Amino acid sequence: MGSDQIIDRWVPQFRKGLLEFIILLKLQQGAIYGYELAVEIKKLTSIEVAEGTLYPLLNRLKRDCLVTSQWQTAEVGTPRKYYQITPLGLETLAKMKTTWTQTHNSIFNMVMQS
Amino acid sequence: MNQPFPIKSKVAQKVWHNFERDLVHKLAPLPKDEGNDIRLEIMSHLYESASHDEADLEEVRFINAIERLGSPEEYLDPLIADILLTQQTIKGDPRAIYQSLLASARKGFFHNLATLVLGLGYFWVIMIFIMSVMHLGDPDVGIWYYPSGNFSLSFSAQPDAIQWQPKWFPLIGIITSASAYWLLNKLLSYLFAKSK
């Protein structure tokens, strides 16, 4: 197996592991619904994941009280379920950011030394 | 009447209804409300996604949107498994109760407190039930009162103590513990649903 193939396999796994963090980062900017979230994640991160896989993640975040959801049905148009980050979600996100920064700095140093 | 998902082409309507039918079938193990909520959310996503697709034909836009959603097993199975865990807790499945208590304990102070209270509740309910059944074979098992006003749950006769309701203890104990078990399950499932 060539290095390109290994990287092709590694990159999606690496990015998928970050999805919960990315979802919370996006929700920090305001309430958002599933389709919009999928589009934004694709646009901002180039992560190619099946859009449906966001829903089990959103459900898990909801179960852990990090987000809440609410249906918004307009007179005309598609009903949308909006997700919003909770105070516990913000607290968790702050810790995630710290962990991310520490990990990023450590790995960055290792990469620079190599 | 307001039509939330207007579709013009007959072929596109067929694609839409086939997808919805499959979704309903896959979501069948779930409680009706939960299943409907997930179905509506996925269908809403599908409709939005198709309406932003650039294909000329409406049915192709829906087919592309279904492809972008990915394999239904990939996103529905974890969702269904999570919701079924809650459902099993309501039914009193001990393994699901244990998993729910474990999940609850990982969520901070309030949840730890709730886990402690509920955990102790389950402990005493099971103890009373076991003692009530044991009383049928050994009449000394039960609740004992002391003249000082204290009482104890004991598996043997206590000196200087009087046994509480020796005749009715098994019946009262079994009925009370079964009712308390049902109430604790309701409380746990309520807290579990509230945290979702």
Side-chain angles (χ1 to χ4, degrees), chain A residues 1-85:
Chain A
M1 187 186 285
S3 63
D4 284 344
Q5 283 168 298
I6 294 170
I7 290 298
D8 285 348
R9 196 183 56 189
W10 177 71
V11 169
Q13 285 174 349
F14 169 72
R15 286 173 169 169
K16 270 184 193 171
L18 294 172
L19 270 178
E20 283 187 31
F21 181 38
I22 293 167
I23 291 172
L24 288 177
L25 280 170
K26 193 65 209 160
L27 286 172
Q28 192 187 20
Q29 296 167 5
I32 196 166
Y33 58 98
Y35 171 71
E36 194 183 12
L37 184 64
V39 171
E40 286 287 311
I41 287 175
K42 270 187 200 173
K43 197 168 73 184
L44 296 170
T45 67
S46 313
I47 295 181
E48 279 297 330
V49 287
E51 291 170 6
T53 56
L54 288 179
Y55 291 103
L57 291 175
L58 285 166
N59 186 59
R60 196 183 309 159
L61 293 172
K62 219 165 106 175
R63 193 193 59 197
D64 290 341
C65 307
L66 303 183
V67 306
T68 54
S69 67
Q70 196 173 22
W71 278 104
Q72 282 192 15
T73 315
E75 276 294 311
V76 181
T78 319
R80 290 167 175 171
K81 195 190 211 179
Y82 278 85
Y83 290 87
Q84 196 157 19
I85 196 162

Side-chain angles (χ1 to χ4, degrees), chain B residues 99-120:
Chain B
Q99 284 174 355
S100 299
L101 284 173
L102 209 63
S104 171
R106 291 179 181 140
K107 289 180 188 168
F109 177 74
F110 174 74
H111 281 89
N112 280 322
L113 187 69
T115 306
L116 186 71
V117 172
L118 286 168
L120 280 172

Side-chain angles (χ1 to χ4, degrees), chain A residues 51 55 71 79-81 83, chain B residues 37 41 44-45 48 82 195:
Chain A
E51 291 170 6
Y55 291 103
W71 278 104
R80 290 167 175 171
K81 195 190 211 179
Y83 290 87
Chain B
D37 192 70
E41 186 168 27
S44 165
H45 183 120
E48 291 259 5
D82 256 3
S195 72

Side-chain angles (χ1 to χ4, degrees), chain B residues 60-170:
Chain B
V60 177
R61 292 201 287 271
F62 279 111
I63 291 166
N64 291 342
I66 290 169
E67 273 179 21
R68 282 192 294 272
L69 264 172
S71 148
E73 283 75 22
E74 201 182 343
Y75 57 88
L76 288 181
D77 286 357
L79 263 177
I80 292 170
D82 256 3
I83 295 161
L84 285 180
L85 176 66
T86 317
Q87 215 185 6
Q88 284 161 356
T89 305
I90 295 165
K91 285 181 182 168
D93 181 332
R95 203 172 51 178
I97 289 169
Y98 171 72
Q99 284 174 355
S100 299
L101 284 173
L102 209 63
S104 171
R106 291 179 181 140
K107 289 180 188 168
F109 177 74
F110 174 74
H111 281 89
N112 280 322
L113 187 69
T115 306
L116 186 71
V117 172
L118 286 168
L120 280 172
Y122 278 112
F123 171 77
W124 283 113
V125 159
I126 292 165
M127 273 296 285
I128 298 282
F129 182 81
I130 291 170
M131 290 180 85
S132 306
V133 174
M134 282 178 76
H135 183 94
L136 297 169
D138 179 1
D140 288 342
V141 177
I143 299 172
W144 293 82
Y145 271 101
Y146 293 92
S148 60
N150 293 333
F151 69 94
S152 71
L153 289 166
S154 179
F155 290 92
S156 58
Q158 297 298 299
D160 304 326
I162 303 160
Q163 195 175 20
W164 179 77
Q165 298 286 349
K167 197 176 169 188
W168 295 102
F169 178 69

